[in-house]
Amino acid sequence: STQSTWEIQPMLPVLSALRSSVRRFVTSRAASSGNRGVVYMGPNKVEVQKIDFPKLELPAQQRKCEHGVILKVVVTNICGSDQHMVRGRTTAPAGLVLGHEITGEVIECGRDVEFIKNGDLVSVPFNIACGRCAMCKAGKTGICLNVNPARPGAAYGYVDMGGWVGGQAEYVMVPYADFNLLKFPCKDWAMSKIKDLALLSDIFPTGFHGCVTAGVKPGSTVYVAGAGPVGLAAAASAQLLGAAVVIVGDLNPARL
């Protein structure tokens, strides 16, 4: 016990250095294979292009991102809001890497990350939040004050949302990892259900949040306008919240 502690203590710097070396090796090996992402080129045009491999850096602040991680993307989704940019309805600049619905495996952790480890399989909420500002502490992570210099609120790969590189890519950097990431406790089980769990990054919580903010409760009668992915998630959420009647409507008969 005490003797063992004294025997192990001198090895701690060595073990720490070894972990760092392994981490650098894994990351450099991944980086050598490059990175590709879905890039917005202009209205109605996107391309899969080679893009920079992510680094644990905050270029705008000219410092390292020690609270972040690098993910190897396992699954990602196309959001309906991505279509606003692709169809030319926004001021999205050409060259923007798209994607804010991300599930991935951690391959590198910053020095300050405590609870997320290399190899963890995680879901990434679409909105980026620090977890420390007044808005985050009030549960309003969608309008975090510390992740977008232009205005409250940020997201990956979206116009005017902080300039964060999107996750429709092979690798992506996630800041404030301890606060933002949802770790799946059993990696093997999660991989067997990965297409279902991909809904957790945006689609399902958007529908659930809509029901909660609408005040759905046991006995409610709920009408969901639109039977797309989020609408279906809202309908399922209404049932989970105890609604007695759930009605879904859509102008497209094929969705009903």
Side-chain angles (χ1 to χ4, degrees):
S1 47
T2 305
Q3 183 179 358
S4 300
T5 302
W6 282 106
E7 289 173 353
I8 293 172
Q9 197 69 28
M11 293 296 293
L12 293 180
V14 177
L15 293 173
S16 178
L18 180 60
R19 284 196 297 267
S20 297
S21 296
V22 171
R23 183 180 66 188
R24 287 194 297 270
F25 172 76
V26 171
T27 306
S28 62
R29 186 174 180 181
S32 66
S33 65
N35 191 19
R36 296 182 301 165
V38 178
V39 180
Y40 172 71
M41 303 303 294
N44 300 309
K45 185 177 182 182
V46 298
E47 293 181 358
V48 176
Q49 295 184 351
K50 290 184 178 180
I51 60 175
D52 291 338
F53 193 86
K55 298 179 181 179
L56 292 176
E57 295 179 353
L58 299 169
Q61 301 177 28
Q62 297 182 339
R63 65 184 180 92
K64 291 185 177 181
C65 183
E66 296 290 5
H67 50 67
V69 301
I70 295 174
L71 298 184
K72 179 180 180 181
V73 177
V74 177
V75 288
T76 183
N77 308 318
I78 298 173
C79 183
S81 61
D82 291 329
Q83 297 184 54
H84 297 312
M85 293 183 288
V86 173
R87 294 177 180 177
R89 299 171 182 160
T90 72
T91 57
L96 178 69
V97 181
L98 301 173
H100 56 266
E101 302 189 18
I102 312 163
T103 306
E105 179 183 354
V106 178
I107 64 166
E108 182 177 1
C109 296
R111 181 188 61 197
D112 297 336
V113 178
E114 295 186 59
F115 307 116
I116 300 295
K117 307 298 180 186
N118 286 355
D120 286 349
L121 187 66
V122 296
S123 179
V124 186
F126 67 90
N127 56 313
I128 303 170
C130 72
R132 306 169 186 176
C133 69
M135 292 295 99
C136 286
K137 289 179 179 179
K140 300 177 181 179
T141 55
I143 47 175
C144 174
L145 303 175
N146 291 327
V147 288
N148 185 348
R151 60 184 60 84
Y156 304 91
Y158 209 86
V159 58
D160 295 332
M161 293 294 280
W164 299 92
V165 177
Q168 287 174 21
E170 293 174 333
Y171 299 91
V172 67
M173 196 276 281
V174 175
Y176 300 106
D178 281 331
F179 182 74
N180 283 308
L181 296 181
L182 172 65
K183 174 186 172 181
F184 299 124
C186 180
K187 187 175 181 180
D188 291 340
W189 177 86
M191 286 301 297
S192 72
K193 300 287 186 180
I194 197 63
K195 290 184 179 179
D196 296 327
L197 295 174
L199 300 178
L200 290 177
S201 61
D202 187 345
I203 300 168
F204 181 77
T206 299
F208 190 88
H209 182 72
C211 286
V212 170
T213 55
V216 176
K217 57 187 178 182
S220 293
T221 297
V222 179
Y223 174 71
V224 180
V230 173
L232 295 178
S237 298
Q239 292 181 316
L240 290 173
L241 291 167
V245 178
V246 180
I247 305 167
V248 181
D250 199 295
L251 295 174
N252 183 352
R255 285 181 159 185
L256 299 174

